[in-house]
Amino acid sequence: GPDRTHGNRRAIMRPVQSYLRGSAGPLADIYDVALLDLDGVVYIGPEAVRGAPQALAAARRAGMRLAFVTNNAARTPEAVAAHLTELGVDAQPPEVVTSAQAAARYLAEQLPAQARVLVVGTTGLEEALRERSLVPVGDALGQVDAVAQGYSPDLTWRLLAEGAVAINLGVPWVATNADPTVPSPRGRLPGNGALVAALRVATGAEPVVTGKPDPAMHRESLLRSEAQHPVVVGDRLDTDIEGANAVGCDSMLVLSGVTSPREALYATPRQRPTYLATDVGGLLQRHPEPDLNPDGVVTCGAWRAAAVEGQRGARLKLTLSPDGRRGSPDRLADLDALRALCGASWRLPGGDRTVEADGDDERSKLASERALGRLGLLG
């Protein structure tokens, strides 16, 4: 459509949908299985995400089945299920899907039974290989048919060195995932991707990565959960959400892990979720759909967001204001504000975004400022 000019600012008019969708009812009533990431979604380190055990129990009561899908290859499904149970989340080992299992299935399809695989990782990866009739080994002194690398908090330089020796001999190299970081109560820590990078630099080789966002991980999840109409729930745009989009699966991004509201505004097309929620409690909620108005303004609930260019056209700005026709600013949901902002932001090309509060009056502008402050989007 045509541009609408307001003084020195020109509204961006691009016929592109917001990508966020709405739901007629709670997601637990619409989807048969929730494919749940763990780190940052169900727990962070040794502690459950606040409210997650109760929300997941309620989702089960609503008839939704759960599958616990993790790129972390360090622990066995039994260990993961035991940890979840300790945190108050009812979980059985068959409900756990790990990137180690996806890597083992991939290797089993490439190698003969009893092939020897050097494990640059720990117990979870070793058990997954044995499940597929492969033989895990701990050094490159004897015959090695492949290298499998997965996250281990106790990985040593010696084991990395053995991996480098085997990779330099030309054997296949499979990494369970390439997550650069893992969340922790102390912030982001080095993940498997950081350790994969060490071997990539040391050998010049490139691994096959089978964890999220690779479709191999989604395939493993579907095979083990027998899901017919699943929804992926994750906290990472580059693994959980991108992986879901790669296979055409709906997804829900939660803000309880590594992705911040500001990072959500910058999501590239292949990393945009279907739904947005504060945490897994979003499975129990109806999701409003952002509405793109003819004038280019995106409305969600009582909030409006518009994308405008600066005077020089170099910086892209977003404005947010409560929509007084739809409710009182005192009762507005911050998540609706973020949904509207994402709808406006995702219509823009790459570049910086400056988020600022706007309003029809001082009360509305103050409500906008407070919402942006709670979302960490001011400044």
Side-chain angles (χ1 to χ4, degrees):
D3 290 337
R4 173 177 292 187
T5 302
H6 297 283
N8 292 322
R9 299 192 302 174
R10 182 166 54 84
I12 304 294
M13 302 296 293
R14 302 182 190 279
V16 180
Q17 64 180 9
S18 69
Y19 293 91
L20 282 173
R21 290 212 315 263
S23 65
L27 301 189
D29 294 340
I30 298 171
Y31 298 92
D32 66 334
V33 178
L35 302 177
L36 297 151
D37 181 51
L38 292 180
D39 293 335
V41 177
V42 181
Y43 56 67
I44 296 177
E47 302 295 333
V49 171
R50 179 178 297 181
Q54 295 82 0
L56 294 177
R60 282 195 193 272
R61 289 194 297 272
M64 175 175 258
R65 292 187 290 116
L66 307 180
F68 303 97
V69 184
T70 177
N71 260 3
N72 188 328
R75 293 184 293 176
T76 65
E78 290 75 14
V80 172
H83 181 211
L84 289 170
T85 301
E86 290 172 358
L87 297 178
V89 178
D90 180 28
Q92 301 299 318
E95 295 177 317
V96 177
V97 185
T98 73
S99 59
Q101 293 170 331
R105 187 185 296 271
Y106 173 85
L107 283 172
E109 292 172 347
Q110 312 298 319
L111 301 172
Q114 304 306 308
R116 294 166 59 85
V117 180
L118 173 61
V119 176
V120 183
T122 188
T123 309
L125 189 49
E126 293 171 355
E127 180 177 292
L129 291 168
R130 292 191 185 99
E131 182 187 18
R132 296 293 166 195
S133 299
L134 299 172
V135 180
V137 299
D139 60 57
L141 295 175
Q143 177 183 343
V144 173
D145 299 301
V147 173
Q149 183 172 3
Y151 174 76
S152 170
D154 301 314
L155 193 65
T156 64
W157 178 91
R158 185 198 68 79
L159 195 50
L160 281 172
E162 293 298 313
V165 169
I167 292 167
N168 283 331
L169 292 174
V171 302
W173 173 27
V174 174
T176 59
N177 67 292
D179 296 7
T181 63
V182 293
S184 84
R186 300 173 63 192
R188 303 182 189 187
L189 302 179
N192 195 53
L195 301 169
V196 167
L199 283 183
R200 184 185 288 119
V201 171
T203 65
E206 191 68 29
V208 171
V209 180
T210 56
K212 295 177 286 187
D214 190 88
M217 187 65 176
H218 190 75
R219 176 190 174 206
E220 190 74 20
S221 301
L222 294 183
L223 288 172
R224 291 180 179 269
S225 68
E226 299 181 340
Q228 299 299 313
H229 186 42
V231 60
V232 170
V233 181
D235 69 315
R236 297 189 72 106
L237 296 171
D238 58 346
T239 55
D240 306 312
I241 307 306
E242 184 174 335
N245 287 333
V247 295
C249 184
D250 289 348
S251 63
M252 183 177 78
L253 174 70
V254 296
L255 301 175
S256 52
V258 301
T259 299
S260 68
R262 188 176 298 276
E263 289 168 331
L265 296 182
Y266 285 86
T268 61
R270 66 181 183 180
Q271 296 181 357
R272 291 171 184 167
T274 315
Y275 309 104
L276 186 65
T278 303
D279 50 42
V280 291
L283 291 173
L284 308 174
Q285 300 164 359
R286 185 188 70 82
H287 290 249
E289 183 169 7
D291 178 47
L292 176 60
N293 300 332
D295 60 359
V297 174
V298 178
T299 303
C300 187
W303 295 93
R304 298 193 310 264
V308 296
E309 285 182 308
Q311 293 182 359
R312 299 179 183 178
R315 291 182 63 84
L316 302 171
K317 296 184 179 181
L318 295 169
T319 60
L320 172 71
S321 62
D323 187 339
R325 297 171 298 174
R326 296 197 176 203
S328 167
D330 296 334
R331 300 192 301 271
L332 301 180
D334 292 343
L335 206 58
D336 284 348
L338 182 58
R339 290 181 177 116
L341 281 167
C342 285
S345 179
W346 293 352
R347 301 175 64 239
L348 304 177
D352 290 336
R353 279 114 165 96
T354 300
V355 185
E356 60 186 38
D358 198 2
D360 300 328
D361 51 41
E362 286 302 314
R363 182 168 175 261
S364 295
K365 186 172 182 179
L366 180 60
S368 299
E369 289 176 346
R370 288 174 175 170
L372 291 176
R374 288 190 294 269
L375 289 168
L377 293 175
L378 281 180

